[in-house]
Amino acid sequence: MTALLKIGLVSVSDRASSGIYQDQGIPELQAWLEKALIDPFSVETRLIPDEQGIIEQTLKELVDERGCHLVLTTGGTGPAKRDVTPDATLAVADREMPGFGEQMRQVSLHFVPTAILSRQVGVIRKESLILNLPGQPKAIKETLEGVKNKEGKVLVNGIFSAVPYCLQLISGLYIDTHPEVIASFRPKSAKRENLEKENEKN
């Protein structure tokens, strides 16, 4: 039996965490994941301030204690002094996955020139993938799905197209997405039907 996908959603915001305004990042992420993922999943949510020690502690808790396969953060990725989410993420990382940050900026540059100010990173801790996403709901969706034209054709791939295969490689977890939202890519040899054939041979 395949393990149930467990996702940690972390919104990093001084003002939202202190109740000055309502957090929009976690609801946007959860709604998008429910629309995109074919497989069932459970969610752990955290709303925390822009404090590096608290962010590090939260990421470690979600991976080490709560067993999240995927952790998505939102907010705190710019050049301002209080933007320390990438610093905290790198501090708890076993390995960095630079392609995720590069692709997030590539997507965002289609919409705003200030995307080059983003310091978003992707990392692996143990058998989990941690990704820093933007703070704005619109930018979260764009980063995950990519750039599409009016006909819905993908012009620049969103980062989530690579997430299922990444999770498969680092934790052995097999998940898939609804292609009309985001098509997940994996080599033919790593697709479920071919894995099953290979298992039958063995």
Side-chain angles (χ1 to χ4, degrees), residues 97-110 115 118 120 142-147 154-162:
M97 299 290 286
F100 281 106
E102 291 163 10
Q103 191 65 10
M104 284 189 256
R105 285 180 281 278
Q106 186 68 28
V107 169
S108 297
L109 275 167
H110 275 261
S118 165
Q120 293 155 325
E142 289 164 354
T143 300
L144 293 167
E145 281 187 26
V147 183
V154 176
L155 304 176
V156 182
N157 285 309
I159 62 160
F160 210 87
S161 60

PDB file of all heavy atoms in Angstrom, residues 97-110 115 118 120 142-147 154-162:
ATOM      1  N   MET A  97      18.460  22.332  -4.237  1.00  0.00           N
ATOM      2  CA  MET A  97      17.974  22.000  -5.584  1.00  0.00           C
ATOM      3  C   MET A  97      17.804  23.316  -6.345  1.00  0.00           C
ATOM      4  O   MET A  97      16.705  23.880  -6.410  1.00  0.00           O
ATOM      5  CB  MET A  97      16.632  21.263  -5.476  1.00  0.00           C
ATOM      6  CG  MET A  97      16.699  19.955  -4.706  1.00  0.00           C
ATOM      7  SD  MET A  97      17.591  18.687  -5.607  1.00  0.00           S
ATOM      8  CE  MET A  97      16.375  18.274  -6.869  1.00  0.00           C
ATOM      9  N   PRO A  98      18.890  23.861  -6.915  1.00  0.00           N
ATOM     10  CA  PRO A  98      18.863  25.209  -7.486  1.00  0.00           C
ATOM     11  C   PRO A  98      17.841  25.408  -8.604  1.00  0.00           C
ATOM     12  O   PRO A  98      17.343  26.519  -8.804  1.00  0.00           O
ATOM     13  CB  PRO A  98      20.287  25.412  -8.021  1.00  0.00           C
ATOM     14  CG  PRO A  98      21.110  24.334  -7.418  1.00  0.00           C
ATOM     15  CD  PRO A  98      20.192  23.205  -7.063  1.00  0.00           C
ATOM     16  N   GLY A  99      17.538  24.336  -9.330  1.00  0.00           N
ATOM     17  CA  GLY A  99      16.610  24.462 -10.456  1.00  0.00           C
ATOM     18  C   GLY A  99      15.250  25.007 -10.075  1.00  0.00           C
ATOM     19  O   GLY A  99      14.608  25.718 -10.865  1.00  0.00           O
ATOM     20  N   PHE A 100      14.788  24.707  -8.862  1.00  0.00           N
ATOM     21  CA  PHE A 100      13.464  25.194  -8.451  1.00  0.00           C
ATOM     22  C   PHE A 100      13.453  26.718  -8.332  1.00  0.00           C
ATOM     23  O   PHE A 100      12.548  27.381  -8.823  1.00  0.00           O
ATOM     24  CB  PHE A 100      13.036  24.533  -7.138  1.00  0.00           C
ATOM     25  CG  PHE A 100      12.520  23.138  -7.301  1.00  0.00           C
ATOM     26  CD1 PHE A 100      13.275  22.043  -6.914  1.00  0.00           C
ATOM     27  CD2 PHE A 100      11.266  22.913  -7.863  1.00  0.00           C
ATOM     28  CE1 PHE A 100      12.801  20.745  -7.074  1.00  0.00           C
ATOM     29  CE2 PHE A 100      10.776  21.617  -8.039  1.00  0.00           C
ATOM     30  CZ  PHE A 100      11.554  20.540  -7.645  1.00  0.00           C
ATOM     31  N   GLY A 101      14.470  27.267  -7.675  1.00  0.00           N
ATOM     32  CA  GLY A 101      14.539  28.723  -7.542  1.00  0.00           C
ATOM     33  C   GLY A 101      14.689  29.409  -8.891  1.00  0.00           C
ATOM     34  O   GLY A 101      14.049  30.432  -9.164  1.00  0.00           O
ATOM     35  N   GLU A 102      15.541  28.816  -9.751  1.00  0.00           N
ATOM     36  CA  GLU A 102      15.752  29.382 -11.091  1.00  0.00           C
ATOM     37  C   GLU A 102      14.447  29.415 -11.879  1.00  0.00           C
ATOM     38  O   GLU A 102      14.119  30.418 -12.532  1.00  0.00           O
ATOM     39  CB  GLU A 102      16.787  28.541 -11.842  1.00  0.00           C
ATOM     40  CG  GLU A 102      18.195  28.662 -11.279  1.00  0.00           C
ATOM     41  CD  GLU A 102      19.109  27.535 -11.742  1.00  0.00           C
ATOM     42  OE1 GLU A 102      18.706  26.766 -12.651  1.00  0.00           O
ATOM     43  OE2 GLU A 102      20.222  27.411 -11.205  1.00  0.00           O
ATOM     44  N   GLN A 103      13.684  28.313 -11.813  1.00  0.00           N
ATOM     45  CA  GLN A 103      12.445  28.240 -12.584  1.00  0.00           C
ATOM     46  C   GLN A 103      11.363  29.166 -12.024  1.00  0.00           C
ATOM     47  O   GLN A 103      10.598  29.754 -12.773  1.00  0.00           O
ATOM     48  CB  GLN A 103      11.937  26.791 -12.634  1.00  0.00           C
ATOM     49  CG  GLN A 103      10.805  26.557 -13.630  1.00  0.00           C
ATOM     50  CD  GLN A 103      11.241  26.777 -15.079  1.00  0.00           C
ATOM     51  OE1 GLN A 103      12.426  26.924 -15.377  1.00  0.00           O
ATOM     52  NE2 GLN A 103      10.279  26.835 -15.979  1.00  0.00           N
ATOM     53  N   MET A 104      11.310  29.309 -10.697  1.00  0.00           N
ATOM     54  CA  MET A 104      10.335  30.230 -10.100  1.00  0.00           C
ATOM     55  C   MET A 104      10.570  31.657 -10.585  1.00  0.00           C
ATOM     56  O   MET A 104       9.627  32.375 -10.928  1.00  0.00           O
ATOM     57  CB  MET A 104      10.407  30.168  -8.572  1.00  0.00           C
ATOM     58  CG  MET A 104       9.763  28.933  -7.982  1.00  0.00           C
ATOM     59  SD  MET A 104       9.625  29.018  -6.181  1.00  0.00           S
ATOM     60  CE  MET A 104      10.938  27.923  -5.678  1.00  0.00           C
ATOM     61  N   ARG A 105      11.837  32.058 -10.621  1.00  0.00           N
ATOM     62  CA  ARG A 105      12.143  33.413 -11.103  1.00  0.00           C
ATOM     63  C   ARG A 105      11.855  33.543 -12.592  1.00  0.00           C
ATOM     64  O   ARG A 105      11.382  34.581 -13.055  1.00  0.00           O
ATOM     65  CB  ARG A 105      13.608  33.765 -10.773  1.00  0.00           C
ATOM     66  CG  ARG A 105      13.792  34.079  -9.285  1.00  0.00           C
ATOM     67  CD  ARG A 105      15.225  34.419  -8.922  1.00  0.00           C
ATOM     68  NE  ARG A 105      16.064  33.243  -8.800  1.00  0.00           N
ATOM     69  CZ  ARG A 105      16.117  32.469  -7.708  1.00  0.00           C
ATOM     70  NH1 ARG A 105      15.382  32.759  -6.652  1.00  0.00           N
ATOM     71  NH2 ARG A 105      16.915  31.416  -7.665  1.00  0.00           N
ATOM     72  N   GLN A 106      12.121  32.474 -13.347  1.00  0.00           N
ATOM     73  CA  GLN A 106      11.834  32.478 -14.785  1.00  0.00           C
ATOM     74  C   GLN A 106      10.348  32.706 -15.038  1.00  0.00           C
ATOM     75  O   GLN A 106       9.958  33.494 -15.901  1.00  0.00           O
ATOM     76  CB  GLN A 106      12.282  31.137 -15.389  1.00  0.00           C
ATOM     77  CG  GLN A 106      12.183  31.033 -16.893  1.00  0.00           C
ATOM     78  CD  GLN A 106      13.164  31.937 -17.609  1.00  0.00           C
ATOM     79  OE1 GLN A 106      14.212  32.251 -17.088  1.00  0.00           O
ATOM     80  NE2 GLN A 106      12.815  32.376 -18.790  1.00  0.00           N
ATOM     81  N   VAL A 107       9.506  31.998 -14.287  1.00  0.00           N
ATOM     82  CA  VAL A 107       8.054  32.160 -14.422  1.00  0.00           C
ATOM     83  C   VAL A 107       7.646  33.588 -14.046  1.00  0.00           C
ATOM     84  O   VAL A 107       6.944  34.278 -14.786  1.00  0.00           O
ATOM     85  CB  VAL A 107       7.299  31.139 -13.525  1.00  0.00           C
ATOM     86  CG1 VAL A 107       5.816  31.477 -13.465  1.00  0.00           C
ATOM     87  CG2 VAL A 107       7.487  29.716 -14.044  1.00  0.00           C
ATOM     88  N   SER A 108       8.095  34.045 -12.894  1.00  0.00           N
ATOM     89  CA  SER A 108       7.670  35.346 -12.375  1.00  0.00           C
ATOM     90  C   SER A 108       8.133  36.510 -13.246  1.00  0.00           C
ATOM     91  O   SER A 108       7.471  37.550 -13.314  1.00  0.00           O
ATOM     92  CB  SER A 108       8.168  35.539 -10.942  1.00  0.00           C
ATOM     93  OG  SER A 108       7.597  34.563 -10.091  1.00  0.00           O
ATOM     94  N   LEU A 109       9.281  36.340 -13.926  1.00  0.00           N
ATOM     95  CA  LEU A 109       9.788  37.408 -14.796  1.00  0.00           C
ATOM     96  C   LEU A 109       8.848  37.691 -15.968  1.00  0.00           C
ATOM     97  O   LEU A 109       8.906  38.761 -16.558  1.00  0.00           O
ATOM     98  CB  LEU A 109      11.185  37.056 -15.321  1.00  0.00           C
ATOM     99  CG  LEU A 109      12.338  37.430 -14.381  1.00  0.00           C
ATOM    100  CD1 LEU A 109      13.640  36.771 -14.833  1.00  0.00           C
ATOM    101  CD2 LEU A 109      12.512  38.942 -14.307  1.00  0.00           C
ATOM    102  N   HIS A 110       7.984  36.752 -16.274  1.00  0.00           N
ATOM    103  CA  HIS A 110       6.996  36.991 -17.335  1.00  0.00           C
ATOM    104  C   HIS A 110       5.925  37.975 -16.880  1.00  0.00           C
ATOM    105  O   HIS A 110       5.191  38.509 -17.699  1.00  0.00           O
ATOM    106  CB  HIS A 110       6.337  35.669 -17.759  1.00  0.00           C
ATOM    107  CG  HIS A 110       7.131  34.935 -18.782  1.00  0.00           C
ATOM    108  ND1 HIS A 110       6.851  34.965 -20.126  1.00  0.00           N
ATOM    109  CD2 HIS A 110       8.247  34.168 -18.657  1.00  0.00           C
ATOM    110  CE1 HIS A 110       7.736  34.239 -20.778  1.00  0.00           C
ATOM    111  NE2 HIS A 110       8.594  33.743 -19.913  1.00  0.00           N
ATOM    112  N   ALA A 115      10.938  40.231 -10.215  1.00  0.00           N
ATOM    113  CA  ALA A 115      11.142  38.808  -9.887  1.00  0.00           C
ATOM    114  C   ALA A 115      12.618  38.504  -9.626  1.00  0.00           C
ATOM    115  O   ALA A 115      12.941  37.569  -8.895  1.00  0.00           O
ATOM    116  CB  ALA A 115      10.623  37.920 -11.007  1.00  0.00           C
ATOM    117  N   SER A 118      13.741  38.133  -6.025  1.00  0.00           N
ATOM    118  CA  SER A 118      13.324  36.980  -5.220  1.00  0.00           C
ATOM    119  C   SER A 118      14.508  36.062  -4.921  1.00  0.00           C
ATOM    120  O   SER A 118      15.346  35.802  -5.787  1.00  0.00           O
ATOM    121  CB  SER A 118      12.252  36.183  -5.970  1.00  0.00           C
ATOM    122  OG  SER A 118      12.102  34.919  -5.366  1.00  0.00           O
ATOM    123  N   GLN A 120      13.996  32.900  -3.570  1.00  0.00           N
ATOM    124  CA  GLN A 120      13.366  31.595  -3.327  1.00  0.00           C
ATOM    125  C   GLN A 120      14.319  30.442  -3.619  1.00  0.00           C
ATOM    126  O   GLN A 120      15.062  30.469  -4.601  1.00  0.00           O
ATOM    127  CB  GLN A 120      12.128  31.447  -4.217  1.00  0.00           C
ATOM    128  CG  GLN A 120      11.019  32.408  -3.848  1.00  0.00           C
ATOM    129  CD  GLN A 120      10.124  32.685  -5.032  1.00  0.00           C
ATOM    130  OE1 GLN A 120      10.574  32.738  -6.165  1.00  0.00           O
ATOM    131  NE2 GLN A 120       8.845  32.873  -4.773  1.00  0.00           N
ATOM    132  N   GLU A 142       0.801  31.165 -10.256  1.00  0.00           N
ATOM    133  CA  GLU A 142       1.640  31.291 -11.449  1.00  0.00           C
ATOM    134  C   GLU A 142       2.910  30.459 -11.322  1.00  0.00           C
ATOM    135  O   GLU A 142       3.313  29.768 -12.260  1.00  0.00           O
ATOM    136  CB  GLU A 142       2.003  32.765 -11.671  1.00  0.00           C
ATOM    137  CG  GLU A 142       0.831  33.615 -12.127  1.00  0.00           C
ATOM    138  CD  GLU A 142       1.090  35.107 -11.973  1.00  0.00           C
ATOM    139  OE1 GLU A 142       2.137  35.501 -11.415  1.00  0.00           O
ATOM    140  OE2 GLU A 142       0.221  35.894 -12.408  1.00  0.00           O
ATOM    141  N   THR A 143       3.542  30.513 -10.151  1.00  0.00           N
ATOM    142  CA  THR A 143       4.783  29.778  -9.927  1.00  0.00           C
ATOM    143  C   THR A 143       4.559  28.274 -10.027  1.00  0.00           C
ATOM    144  O   THR A 143       5.375  27.545 -10.603  1.00  0.00           O
ATOM    145  CB  THR A 143       5.353  30.127  -8.535  1.00  0.00           C
ATOM    146  OG1 THR A 143       5.608  31.531  -8.486  1.00  0.00           O
ATOM    147  CG2 THR A 143       6.637  29.386  -8.263  1.00  0.00           C
ATOM    148  N   LEU A 144       3.464  27.795  -9.471  1.00  0.00           N
ATOM    149  CA  LEU A 144       3.168  26.361  -9.482  1.00  0.00           C
ATOM    150  C   LEU A 144       2.768  25.870 -10.866  1.00  0.00           C
ATOM    151  O   LEU A 144       3.198  24.804 -11.309  1.00  0.00           O
ATOM    152  CB  LEU A 144       2.062  26.051  -8.472  1.00  0.00           C
ATOM    153  CG  LEU A 144       2.416  26.250  -6.997  1.00  0.00           C
ATOM    154  CD1 LEU A 144       1.157  26.212  -6.145  1.00  0.00           C
ATOM    155  CD2 LEU A 144       3.412  25.204  -6.519  1.00  0.00           C
ATOM    156  N   GLU A 145       1.933  26.652 -11.563  1.00  0.00           N
ATOM    157  CA  GLU A 145       1.366  26.219 -12.852  1.00  0.00           C
ATOM    158  C   GLU A 145       2.181  26.627 -14.063  1.00  0.00           C
ATOM    159  O   GLU A 145       2.100  25.996 -15.107  1.00  0.00           O
ATOM    160  CB  GLU A 145      -0.054  26.805 -13.013  1.00  0.00           C
ATOM    161  CG  GLU A 145      -1.101  26.062 -12.248  1.00  0.00           C
ATOM    162  CD  GLU A 145      -2.510  26.565 -12.552  1.00  0.00           C
ATOM    163  OE1 GLU A 145      -2.744  27.107 -13.659  1.00  0.00           O
ATOM    164  OE2 GLU A 145      -3.370  26.414 -11.683  1.00  0.00           O
ATOM    165  N   GLY A 146       2.914  27.729 -13.967  1.00  0.00           N
ATOM    166  CA  GLY A 146       3.676  28.220 -15.103  1.00  0.00           C
ATOM    167  C   GLY A 146       2.926  29.264 -15.904  1.00  0.00           C
ATOM    168  O   GLY A 146       1.881  29.758 -15.495  1.00  0.00           O
ATOM    169  N   VAL A 147       3.488  29.592 -17.052  1.00  0.00           N
ATOM    170  CA  VAL A 147       2.921  30.620 -17.929  1.00  0.00           C
ATOM    171  C   VAL A 147       2.172  29.929 -19.060  1.00  0.00           C
ATOM    172  O   VAL A 147       2.731  29.076 -19.754  1.00  0.00           O
ATOM    173  CB  VAL A 147       4.031  31.516 -18.524  1.00  0.00           C
ATOM    174  CG1 VAL A 147       3.425  32.628 -19.377  1.00  0.00           C
ATOM    175  CG2 VAL A 147       4.903  32.096 -17.413  1.00  0.00           C
ATOM    176  N   VAL A 154       1.076  25.676 -22.461  1.00  0.00           N
ATOM    177  CA  VAL A 154       2.127  26.068 -21.522  1.00  0.00           C
ATOM    178  C   VAL A 154       3.308  26.664 -22.282  1.00  0.00           C
ATOM    179  O   VAL A 154       3.877  26.050 -23.181  1.00  0.00           O
ATOM    180  CB  VAL A 154       2.598  24.851 -20.686  1.00  0.00           C
ATOM    181  CG1 VAL A 154       3.760  25.243 -19.777  1.00  0.00           C
ATOM    182  CG2 VAL A 154       1.449  24.298 -19.857  1.00  0.00           C
ATOM    183  N   LEU A 155       3.672  27.902 -21.906  1.00  0.00           N
ATOM    184  CA  LEU A 155       4.817  28.581 -22.508  1.00  0.00           C
ATOM    185  C   LEU A 155       6.070  28.411 -21.642  1.00  0.00           C
ATOM    186  O   LEU A 155       7.169  28.256 -22.163  1.00  0.00           O
ATOM    187  CB  LEU A 155       4.508  30.074 -22.691  1.00  0.00           C
ATOM    188  CG  LEU A 155       3.258  30.408 -23.507  1.00  0.00           C
ATOM    189  CD1 LEU A 155       3.008  31.904 -23.529  1.00  0.00           C
ATOM    190  CD2 LEU A 155       3.388  29.882 -24.938  1.00  0.00           C
ATOM    191  N   VAL A 156       5.895  28.490 -20.340  1.00  0.00           N
ATOM    192  CA  VAL A 156       6.992  28.253 -19.395  1.00  0.00           C
ATOM    193  C   VAL A 156       6.463  27.318 -18.318  1.00  0.00           C
ATOM    194  O   VAL A 156       5.433  27.596 -17.703  1.00  0.00           O
ATOM    195  CB  VAL A 156       7.494  29.563 -18.733  1.00  0.00           C
ATOM    196  CG1 VAL A 156       8.663  29.269 -17.794  1.00  0.00           C
ATOM    197  CG2 VAL A 156       7.905  30.583 -19.776  1.00  0.00           C
ATOM    198  N   ASN A 157       7.145  26.201 -18.092  1.00  0.00           N
ATOM    199  CA  ASN A 157       6.662  25.210 -17.130  1.00  0.00           C
ATOM    200  C   ASN A 157       6.668  25.737 -15.703  1.00  0.00           C
ATOM    201  O   ASN A 157       7.622  26.398 -15.280  1.00  0.00           O
ATOM    202  CB  ASN A 157       7.539  23.945 -17.180  1.00  0.00           C
ATOM    203  CG  ASN A 157       7.252  23.110 -18.409  1.00  0.00           C
ATOM    204  OD1 ASN A 157       6.104  22.798 -18.695  1.00  0.00           O
ATOM    205  ND2 ASN A 157       8.283  22.760 -19.147  1.00  0.00           N
ATOM    206  N   GLY A 158       5.594  25.425 -14.980  1.00  0.00           N
ATOM    207  CA  GLY A 158       5.554  25.714 -13.553  1.00  0.00           C
ATOM    208  C   GLY A 158       6.386  24.691 -12.802  1.00  0.00           C
ATOM    209  O   GLY A 158       6.656  23.598 -13.310  1.00  0.00           O
ATOM    210  N   ILE A 159       6.793  25.040 -11.583  1.00  0.00           N
ATOM    211  CA  ILE A 159       7.698  24.147 -10.850  1.00  0.00           C
ATOM    212  C   ILE A 159       7.044  22.838 -10.433  1.00  0.00           C
ATOM    213  O   ILE A 159       7.718  21.832 -10.271  1.00  0.00           O
ATOM    214  CB  ILE A 159       8.301  24.835  -9.608  1.00  0.00           C
ATOM    215  CG1 ILE A 159       7.200  25.239  -8.612  1.00  0.00           C
ATOM    216  CG2 ILE A 159       9.159  26.017  -9.995  1.00  0.00           C
ATOM    217  CD1 ILE A 159       7.717  25.462  -7.207  1.00  0.00           C
ATOM    218  N   PHE A 160       5.707  22.833 -10.287  1.00  0.00           N
ATOM    219  CA  PHE A 160       5.083  21.614  -9.758  1.00  0.00           C
ATOM    220  C   PHE A 160       5.129  20.462 -10.761  1.00  0.00           C
ATOM    221  O   PHE A 160       4.950  19.312 -10.375  1.00  0.00           O
ATOM    222  CB  PHE A 160       3.643  21.875  -9.309  1.00  0.00           C
ATOM    223  CG  PHE A 160       3.224  20.975  -8.171  1.00  0.00           C
ATOM    224  CD1 PHE A 160       3.474  21.332  -6.856  1.00  0.00           C
ATOM    225  CD2 PHE A 160       2.599  19.758  -8.408  1.00  0.00           C
ATOM    226  CE1 PHE A 160       3.125  20.501  -5.800  1.00  0.00           C
ATOM    227  CE2 PHE A 160       2.240  18.913  -7.363  1.00  0.00           C
ATOM    228  CZ  PHE A 160       2.501  19.285  -6.053  1.00  0.00           C
ATOM    229  N   SER A 161       5.403  20.754 -12.033  1.00  0.00           N
ATOM    230  CA  SER A 161       5.501  19.666 -13.014  1.00  0.00           C
ATOM    231  C   SER A 161       6.648  18.719 -12.673  1.00  0.00           C
ATOM    232  O   SER A 161       6.638  17.553 -13.058  1.00  0.00           O
ATOM    233  CB  SER A 161       5.689  20.237 -14.427  1.00  0.00           C
ATOM    234  OG  SER A 161       6.863  21.016 -14.483  1.00  0.00           O
ATOM    235  N   ALA A 162       7.649  19.207 -11.923  1.00  0.00           N
ATOM    236  CA  ALA A 162       8.793  18.371 -11.553  1.00  0.00           C
ATOM    237  C   ALA A 162       8.680  17.788 -10.148  1.00  0.00           C
ATOM    238  O   ALA A 162       9.482  16.920  -9.777  1.00  0.00           O
ATOM    239  CB  ALA A 162      10.078  19.192 -11.656  1.00  0.00           C
TER     240      ALA A 162
END
